[in-house]
Amino acid sequence: MDFVKNSPPLNVYSSQQARQLDTIAIEQQGIKGYELMCRAGQAAYNVITNKFPSARRILIIAGGGNNAGDGYVLARLLDSTEYNCAVIPIMSPDKLQGDALHACSEFLDQGGELYKHEGELPHCDLIVDAIFGIGLNRLIEGEVVNVITQINQHSAPTLALDIPSGLNSDTGIPMDISVCANTTITFIGLKSGLLTGQACDNTGEVIVHDLELPNTVFSQIEPIGNTLSPTTHKALLPRRKPSSHKNNFGHVLVIGGNIGYPNAAALAAIGAARSGAGLVSVVTHPDNVNAIASSCSSIMVRGIHQPSDMGNLINLADVIVLGPGLGKDAWARRFFARFIDIKKPVVVDADALTLLSHNPNQRDHWILTPHPGEAARLLACEKTEIEFNRLAAVKAIQEKYHGVIVLKGAGTLIYKDSMGFCINGNAALATGGTGDVLAGIIGSFIAQGLTPIDAAECATTIHGLAAERISQFGTRGLLASDLFPELIKLVNPCQNS
């Protein structure tokens, strides 16, 4: 049983692939479907005993498919021990089929009872959501809407089986309404819809149980991606030799900070410096030199009107971070045109993404870091279309523009040849400037020798971990600059392990 937040990288599957894994186990391994259902019920029972030890009155809401079958197996196990278990069926038992009917029958034969939903849900210590599984592909209607609303308003915590009912298992978008669980145990494989979109509002802590399937089952299905481990950066950021000097760790050049927007460029530059770049320079509008220089004395700042005035600075830089506070006026367009085609790694962020959307082209050496609004401009669509299917959106951006794509937001996605799911971060990042910090960190890691894809994945993870660490008292009121003390600790993992 894997707790996703604390696990090494885990494979991520689509709902179709999850069903294929189930079929392979049954047809090729000879594991009966009901045996898998019993294993799922036992796994859920173990979660209850471990995570909800004081719960004694358990209410299970059962639907009509195999997800309900998992719930009936769980009910039988609970009813045979010291628990007081009540089951409210959304579908009449005489309409159940196959393994779900078998599970319900065993529960009733053991003396279990079914209760009719009338008015409010009864008082209990824990609610188990066994209404809909991963096969739901329609909006929820009728009485189920009322039941899910009552689950979400109930004082008891909720454990969801496989996926919170109503959450799309591929996109992480609720099908109009979804159960908001405190814990979700998902079976066989980790589904993409548990990791991005609005999933974090609905899943709570996610636990994966493979139902003891052999590796030969999983080896037959290529996952759509994997989670990014919160410890991977330790291998990518080794302890520095005592003889190290600044030129060993690269030179990051930040281009941005138009009139009135010095802080965006400053945050990106400080993010690069605090994550270990040997040298950081900023090219900004001349009006902003003093503001940026005063924010960090270790950053070299030059105010320039024309790119032709930059001299040898372009050649000295190992990586360009283009866009924080760049603007969209003539000054911005001049620098965008000069640096978007440079034959060096370029982190394209913020206003530079908007300028790119006006003149799309393809480069393999850049890293694009859009938030959903910028992603919509890159694809010439509405922001709602991006959020409706973030996985499809990040693939479409990569196909159109090439390079490495970092689609920011809840459940950040990193995509080039495969999908990386960032599982770290929280609402502390929902404030201005945190994206600029991330762009600087990505640039810093490339300057220090990481590949663009490794830099993007490592930076996104560390950025999220820093947000989690600074929010011990809550996520409201934090500033982008609050990330820096934790960032310093995280980029020195050998010293702070």
Side-chain angles (χ1 to χ4, degrees), residues 80-195:
S80 64
T81 53
E82 70 273 21
Y83 293 94
N84 180 356
C85 179
V87 179
I88 294 179
I90 300 299
M91 176 181 286
S92 174
D94 58 13
K95 294 183 180 180
L96 296 174
Q97 298 179 347
D99 294 330
L101 176 60
H102 186 182
C104 180
S105 298
E106 284 209 338
F107 168 65
L108 295 175
D109 290 345
Q110 184 178 274
E113 295 185 40
L114 302 179
Y115 297 85
K116 186 176 181 180
H117 175 239
E118 295 179 334
E120 301 292 324
L121 294 177
H123 179 70
C124 60
D125 302 319
L126 176 68
I127 297 174
V128 176
D129 164 26
I131 304 173
F132 296 120
I134 63 173
L136 184 69
N137 57 7
R138 57 178 171 80
L139 295 180
I140 298 175
E141 299 175 335
E143 180 61 19
V144 182
V145 173
N146 180 44
V147 173
I148 291 178
T149 300
Q150 290 188 29
I151 291 173
N152 292 341
Q153 294 174 347
H154 203 284
S155 60
T158 301
L159 169 66
L161 304 187
D162 211 17
I163 193 165
S165 292
L167 190 69
N168 186 290
S169 57
D170 289 320
T171 67
I173 299 298
M175 308 298 284
D176 197 35
I177 189 172
S178 170
V179 168
C180 296
N182 299 86
T183 304
T184 299
I185 177 169
T186 194
F187 305 120
I188 297 183
L190 181 59
K191 290 81 178 177
S192 58
L194 295 169
L195 300 173

Side-chain angles (χ1 to χ4, degrees), residues 328-383:
K328 307 175 192 69
D329 62 5
W331 182 86
R333 292 194 298 271
R334 287 195 297 271
F335 281 90
F336 174 83
R338 174 64 183 87
F339 285 97
I340 200 65
D341 289 327
I342 196 169
K343 303 303 179 185
K344 292 185 178 186
V346 182
V347 181
V348 186
D349 187 49
D351 293 326
L353 291 165
T354 299
L355 294 175
L356 177 61
S357 72
H358 297 158
N359 185 26
N361 55 71
Q362 298 177 338
R363 297 289 183 272
D364 290 327
H365 62 270
W366 60 24
I367 303 92
L368 310 186
T369 60
H371 58 54
E374 293 159 346
R377 290 192 280 275
L378 289 171
L379 293 178
C381 67
E382 296 297 322
K383 179 181 175 182

Side-chain angles (χ1 to χ4, degrees), residues 11 15 59 76 107 115 139 169 201 213 232 240 281-282 290 300 333 363 386 394 407 414 488:
N11 289 335
S15 58
L59 174 63
R76 174 171 55 81
F107 168 65
Y115 297 85
L139 295 180
S169 57
D201 293 335
L213 298 186
T232 299
R240 291 181 170 181
S281 296
V282 176
N290 290 337
M300 298 172 284
R333 292 194 298 271
R363 297 289 183 272
I386 301 297
V394 73
L407 179 55
I414 300 91
I488 296 170

